[in-house]
Amino acid sequence: MNIREHLATKGLKRMIEGNFGLPVILIAPDGTTISTDDEGNTLKGQVLYDHDSLDPETGDLMSTKEIRVTLRKTALSTIPAAGETWKVSIPDDPSGQDTMTTYLMNPDESPVDGQSAGFITLKPKNVDQS
Amino acid sequence: MGINDEMLFEQVRDKIEALLLANQGTLFRTIVGQRERVDSAEVKDGLRSLQVFYESGEYSDSKSGKQTKEHDCEYRLEYKLSRAARVDLSVLDNDSATPAQLQAALLAADEGSTLADKAMDEFRRIISQILLDPKNRALGFTVTPGTRGQLNYTVSRPKLERFRKNQPLQKGGLIVLTASETFTTTVTETFDGAGVVAADASPINYGTGIANADGDPTADESLFDVDTLNSP
């Protein structure tokens, strides 16, 4: 196993699904539910509830309340692609892991594909009852 | 009319705001004046906001000595709203839903940007219907009959111009859409300088800006007199 393969499997698994990992449930556009990883364990990802960004008008650094879900691609049976609508369920907050909240990854926003390291970052958005 | 009285362009601004406030109901929220920021969650669903402010104006040329000038006023209307995506959560969050039902629910999901775009069209319709309604032609000013039977309005040629939508943006998990439009009208302003505040005749003591021994930088003491300081 070369270092890239090692990073894509064991390294990413430790970083994304280790102590920082939170349970994630996905529903693919075809209705398939993905709640376990490639080894049959609970699917986990690194969930950030806010992140830093630059204010386009002022250039100031600010904390933005936008969710980012990073998953190991080898853990997924189907990988989300741009233009697809997926359901993404994550815990309400990092401590209360029992209550999951539903978000949508929809064609408005493509996932960030970390091709060289084998991860994918979803940018799910709020959803209301239709 | 003078320095201490509101000119017509200010009165028109107040009348537009009053008209919008009277008609907003639960359809939108009128924000008076320029505000730095509006949070995306503040403008969700029925809480869409409309900021109104006097943006620019120009006085027409007139013969010297004339006390009135035509004032072409431009008021900026800034529309803002946000929308979340919509989906049938009763299916999507139902653990016993079949893959086919889940697939159908995801297919029927409405994107936030599409919903925001439609909501903006509706928002513009509402504002146009209020501001261009013939009943509101006078903007709340008194209409006086002219000598030839015509009606004299304080504001002339009111128009809504240059509506433009901006690019939808994702903010805080919501899609935010903004747009702007200009309300233009012409009023006849009067200039007579009446009510000018009398100049203060008392001398102004700027001091030296250097604190004296008591720490008072405005003290006018001979210690800080240039001649004294420069004397050997």
Side-chain angles (χ1 to χ4, degrees):
Chain A
M1 182 183 287
N2 65 32
I3 195 156
R4 191 181 295 278
E5 288 167 341
H6 184 83
L7 175 64
T9 52
K10 294 184 177 177
L12 274 180
K13 189 171 182 181
R14 193 170 298 144
M15 282 193 295
I16 294 174
E17 299 158 30
N19 290 336
F20 262 117
L22 289 176
V24 177
I25 300 171
L26 302 176
I27 294 181
D30 64 1
T32 308
T33 301
I34 303 174
S35 57
T36 53
D37 65 12
D38 52 330
E39 294 170 0
N41 302 315
T42 299
L43 179 66
K44 285 189 170 182
Q46 190 185 66
V47 181
L48 298 178
Y49 293 85
D50 44 46
H51 66 97
D52 287 343
S53 64
L54 289 178
D55 185 325
E57 289 174 19
T58 63
D60 289 341
L61 185 67
M62 57 184 191
S63 184
T64 309
K65 193 184 163 195
E66 281 174 1
I67 291 165
R68 298 282 185 268
V69 180
T70 301
L71 299 159
R72 181 169 51 94
K73 287 205 297 195
T74 48
L76 301 172
S77 51
T78 312
I79 295 170
E84 292 180 345
T85 304
W86 285 64
K87 173 187 164 176
V88 182
S89 293
I90 56 168
D92 273 349
D93 65 75
S95 54
Q97 298 188 16
D98 293 337
T99 319
M100 306 285 272
T101 305
T102 297
Y103 295 87
L104 274 194
M105 186 203 94
N106 64 14
D108 277 353
E109 194 84 52
S110 307
V112 177
D113 191 352
Q115 215 158 9
S116 54
F119 66 83
I120 191 167
T121 298
L122 311 180
K123 297 184 260 184
K125 280 178 281 194
N126 293 15
V127 66
D128 287 340
Q129 171 65 41
S130 60
Chain B
M1 175 61 61
I3 283 178
N4 295 326
D5 301 313
E6 276 199 341
M7 286 174 65
L8 277 172
F9 80 93
E10 295 166 286
Q11 293 178 36
V12 170
R13 175 203 62 207
D14 295 343
K15 295 287 188 189
I16 295 171
E17 287 166 1
L19 188 60
L20 293 169
L21 285 166
N23 287 278
Q24 66 183 15
T26 56
L27 294 170
F28 62 94
R29 196 161 54 98
T30 305
I31 296 175
V32 176
Q34 273 184 289
R35 191 174 149 188
E36 191 184 12
R37 286 190 193 287
V38 179
D39 187 271
S40 60
E42 280 186 70
V43 288
K44 195 162 171 276
D45 299 326
L47 299 172
R48 48 198 159 188
S49 78
L50 182 72
Q51 273 193 87
V52 187
F53 54 90
Y54 173 73
E55 185 182 45
S56 63
E58 201 171 324
Y59 297 120
S60 61
D61 286 339
S62 65
K63 289 175 185 171
S64 59
K66 202 173 173 187
Q67 284 196 327
T68 58
K69 280 183 195 293
E70 288 211 328
H71 183 177
D72 296 324
C73 309
E74 293 197 354
Y75 299 87
R76 189 172 173 87
L77 309 180
E78 289 200 343
Y79 298 76
K80 188 167 190 175
L81 55 84
S82 70
R83 286 289 180 275
R86 283 188 191 276
V87 71
D88 191 349
L89 290 169
S90 64
V91 174
L92 219 51
D93 287 343
N94 184 353
D95 292 339
S96 56
T98 64
Q101 289 171 321
L102 293 169
Q103 183 183 25
L106 286 171
L107 270 174
D110 289 313
E111 289 181 51
S113 54
T114 309
L115 294 170
D117 186 58
K118 284 183 182 168
M120 183 58 81
D121 293 348
E122 183 189 75
F123 197 5
R124 197 207 178 198
R125 184 216 318 149
I126 293 165
I127 301 304
S128 302
Q129 288 292 331
I130 294 170
L131 291 178
L132 300 182
D133 182 348
K135 292 196 294 294
N136 297 328
R137 166 68 181 80
L139 282 183
F141 287 100
T142 306
V143 180
T144 53
T147 50
R148 294 188 298 275
Q150 83 280 17
L151 295 175
N152 291 330
Y153 290 95
T154 307
V155 289
S156 56
R157 301 188 293 279
K159 275 191 294 185
L160 277 176
E161 296 179 321
R162 304 192 294 275
F163 179 85
R164 182 177 292 275
K165 281 181 197 167
N166 299 314
Q167 188 73 16
L169 295 171
Q170 186 181 344
K171 294 250 174 100
L174 298 168
I175 296 296
V176 177
L177 185 59
T178 56
S180 61
E181 190 166 30
T182 305
F183 180 83
T184 62
T185 188
T186 304
V187 293
T188 305
E189 304 278 15
T190 307
F191 300 88
D192 59 13
V196 175
V197 179
D200 186 355
S202 60
I204 300 169
N205 177 14
Y206 293 107
T208 58
I210 304 168
N212 67 359
D214 300 326
D216 179 5
T218 61
D220 187 17
E221 296 179 1
S222 60
L223 173 66
F224 302 125
D225 182 81
V226 176
D227 294 336
T228 309
L229 287 171
N230 289 340
S231 64

